[in-house]
Amino acid sequence: MKRKSVSAIVPVYNEEKTISKVVDTLLKNNLIDEIICINDGSTDKSIDALKEFEGKVEIVDLKKNYGKGFALSVGISKAKGEIVAFIDADLTNLSDDHIRELLTPILNNETRCVVGYPSSVKGSLLNPLSNFPGERAYYKKDLISHVEEIAETRFGVEVFLNHLFDKKEIKKVPLKNLKGLFKHEKRRPSNTITEYHGELSEIIKEVLRQKGFSKTE
């Protein structure tokens, strides 16, 4: 049987330190058929790093920062694959093994969606967002009707996605020793605090919305 096609979607916001290695790993993996990188208004040299892969990956260069949910919605809309795999741009040691572990359950028709979580990450207590892993795989057909909602979630996108499916339809898989840079390793301390606060606020708003509470201004 012919394998289902896979589009890797990589949202990028100020990830000049890691994005090249992430893309290079995806390009070399035989389970990935298409790579779409969305530069979400980066102010560093992320777009320059992405341009080194022109002709090999599709690059969408957003001129302002719209948030992770919007970036993923753009990727979903453009994806040609039957399966869309979300891969964070700040990973430092993404490997073929990690990609295979993430994709195998959905490629083998074991589940409708896969959430990959790092099974051992030192310093995870420093990251208040460590319970919201970004490595995920879905059927495009399951998400395409929700792209407008996904676009509005910003950093609450993982909460939104978790609520789209029954728990029995979500398979969680450990991605052994998968690591990414923490914000304090990428940003100045003042920016780190501001970003964490903003992202946590977006997550809380989405949690409340999913529980039936109206959004507060």
Side-chain angles (χ1 to χ4, degrees):
M1 292 181 62
K2 184 179 178 182
R3 173 178 64 76
K4 298 180 185 71
S5 55
V6 178
S7 296
I9 299 173
V10 187
V12 183
Y13 178 63
N14 291 347
E15 307 295 355
E16 63 179 4
K17 294 180 180 179
T18 53
I19 184 57
S20 293
K21 186 174 181 180
V22 168
V23 173
D24 191 55
T25 301
L26 292 171
L27 281 170
K28 294 176 180 177
N29 188 274
N30 61 11
L31 295 179
I32 302 296
D33 302 290
E34 177 186 40
I35 302 169
I36 304 170
C37 296
I38 301 91
N39 180 46
D40 189 22
S42 296
T43 57
D44 65 355
K45 296 181 180 179
S46 292
I47 189 61
D48 295 329
L50 287 173
K51 286 180 178 179
E52 296 294 322
F53 298 97
E54 279 187 319
K56 299 179 181 179
V57 307
E58 180 167 359
I59 301 169
V60 180
D61 186 18
L62 304 178
K63 298 306 179 183
K64 60 178 285 188
N65 178 245
Y66 290 95
K68 187 175 184 179
F70 187 92
L72 290 178
S73 74
V74 172
I76 295 166
S77 298
K78 288 184 171 292
K80 299 180 179 69
E82 298 166 83
I83 293 169
V84 290
F86 302 152
I87 305 294
D88 284 340
D90 62 356
L91 301 175
T92 59
N93 65 339
L94 180 67
S95 69
D96 281 345
D97 287 341
H98 295 137
I99 297 169
R100 186 183 67 254
E101 292 294 330
L102 180 69
L103 293 176
T104 295
I106 197 167
L107 288 173
N108 288 348
N109 299 313
E110 298 172 21
T111 185
R112 286 181 67 189
C113 56
V114 185
V115 176
Y117 63 92
S119 61
S120 177
V121 179
K122 292 182 178 179
S124 60
L125 291 177
L126 297 174
N127 184 2
L129 305 177
S130 60
N131 290 324
F132 300 90
E135 281 55 63
R136 294 162 178 256
Y138 300 88
Y139 288 101
K140 178 182 175 177
K141 65 182 181 181
D142 284 340
L143 299 184
I144 194 64
S145 62
H146 299 282
V147 288
E148 291 185 4
E149 296 168 282
I150 291 171
E152 296 175 356
T153 59
R154 291 190 63 86
F155 221 88
V157 63
E158 281 88 5
V159 175
F160 177 82
L161 290 171
N162 288 346
H163 282 81
L164 276 184
F165 302 90
D166 186 275
K167 289 183 179 180
K168 294 180 181 179
E169 298 175 310
I170 303 173
K171 185 176 180 65
K172 295 184 178 180
V173 297
L175 303 178
K176 188 176 181 180
N177 294 320
L178 180 65
K179 298 175 183 177
L181 293 181
F182 296 117
K183 289 190 183 298
H184 64 270
E185 298 175 290
K186 301 184 289 184
R187 317 276 197 264
R188 290 179 297 182
S190 58
N191 291 347
T192 298
I193 294 171
T194 300
E195 286 191 28
Y196 272 142
H197 181 270
E199 292 173 5
L200 284 169
S201 295
E202 291 163 10
I203 288 171
I204 291 169
K205 285 181 180 179
E206 185 60 29
V207 169
L208 292 175
R209 191 177 76 85
Q210 292 295 335
K211 290 184 178 295
F213 295 92
S214 60
K215 291 183 178 180
T216 56
E217 298 296 331

